Amino acid sequence: LEEVIRYKCLVLDHDDTLVNSTATIHFPCFCEFLKEVRPNAKAYTLEDYFRRNFDPGILPFFTEEVGLSPQELDYEFRFWQNYVKPRVPQAFSGMREILERHKRQGGILAVVSHSMKDAIVRDYQENGLPQPDVIYGWDLPPEQRKPAPWALEQIMAQFSLPASELLMVDDLKPGYDMARAAGVDFAAAGWAYDVPEIEAFMRKNCDFYFKTVQEFGTFLEED
């Protein structure tokens, strides 16, 4: 029996879509950083942090709300890179099977993320996952990163695919905005956290919403 492939190209976000990284790495890193540069700042909860990542996004949050100067932003980036280096996040259970099946069917696997490309390659290796065909990370110039549609346009051009052959899977609004701008179907990954207003927005606005990795896998297998 020939397996069906719903989308020729899966475009995956990385953090909190493939790997459980914000709760275990990025948020603790942010708290450590804040302790050092803004010792009197208000305390943020993990849920607060997810909300700010969702909207307005990480850079506006850092510059406008936390009030980081360009110099502090540079320092935050170095602080974050040093923190991430020795810490490998775990892939969500079930993701390996989904990716292996997709590759077996001749599918293309792309990653568009706000993590650095090196970290993404390492996380795939350490979790024993099939390597992506192409990765667009935080290393890009700011105007080419999510939510700009640039990466999706590059993927379509490189693999000669129409927008209808791509599915963007992401847990946050910048990914949604990027997919909408490029005319690409968008699936919300709802399995990393429970924040009611994020879930409400995604359920209302996205083409698909999946609360579990298993739901996502089942959807890909449907004819």
Side-chain angles (χ1 to χ4, degrees), residues 43-79:
Y44 289 92
T45 64
L46 177 60
E47 198 167 296
D48 293 333
Y49 190 70
F50 275 123
R51 282 198 183 95
R52 304 307 195 283
N53 268 282
F54 183 76
D55 191 28
I58 198 70
L59 268 184
F61 168 51
F62 280 174
T63 55
E64 292 157 30
E65 186 172 329
V66 182
L68 299 184
S69 68
Q71 292 77 15
E72 287 173 325
L73 214 50
D74 284 345
Y75 176 56
E76 190 281 332
F77 178 75
R78 294 195 303 276
F79 189 99

Side-chain angles (χ1 to χ4, degrees), residues 164-182:
S164 60
E165 287 285 0
L166 277 65
L167 177 68
M168 176 76 212
V169 188
D170 202 322
D171 66 302
L172 293 175
K173 193 164 176 289
Y176 164 81
D177 290 337
M178 177 180 74
R180 281 288 172 267

Side-chain angles (χ1 to χ4, degrees), residues 81-101:
Q81 289 305 286
N82 290 332
Y83 194 93
V84 165
K85 209 162 263 162
R87 296 169 172 89
V88 178
Q90 269 199 309
F92 288 102
S93 175
M95 285 305 281
R96 179 194 288 138
E97 290 76 6
I98 289 171
L99 300 188
E100 285 175 347
R101 179 177 185 271

Side-chain angles (χ1 to χ4, degrees), residues 83-170:
Y83 194 93
V84 165
K85 209 162 263 162
R87 296 169 172 89
V88 178
Q90 269 199 309
F92 288 102
S93 175
M95 285 305 281
R96 179 194 288 138
E97 290 76 6
I98 289 171
L99 300 188
E100 285 175 347
R101 179 177 185 271
H102 183 68
K103 296 292 276 188
R104 199 169 62 238
Q105 293 171 311
I108 295 157
L109 178 59
V111 177
V112 182
S113 165
H114 280 170
S115 270
M116 300 293 281
K117 186 175 179 177
D118 286 355
I120 295 166
V121 169
R122 175 205 67 177
D123 293 350
Y124 270 78
Q125 277 169 346
E126 294 289 327
N127 281 281
L129 304 170
Q131 279 296 319
D133 295 287
V134 63
I135 297 172
Y136 294 97
W138 191 256
D139 329 56
L140 292 172
E143 68 277 5
Q144 293 178 354
R145 296 174 192 151
K146 281 192 290 196
W150 184 85
L152 291 179
E153 289 160 357
Q154 297 303 303
I155 293 163
M156 289 188 267
Q158 182 179 343
F159 298 103
S160 306
L161 295 172
S164 60
E165 287 285 0
L166 277 65
L167 177 68
M168 176 76 212
V169 188
D170 202 322

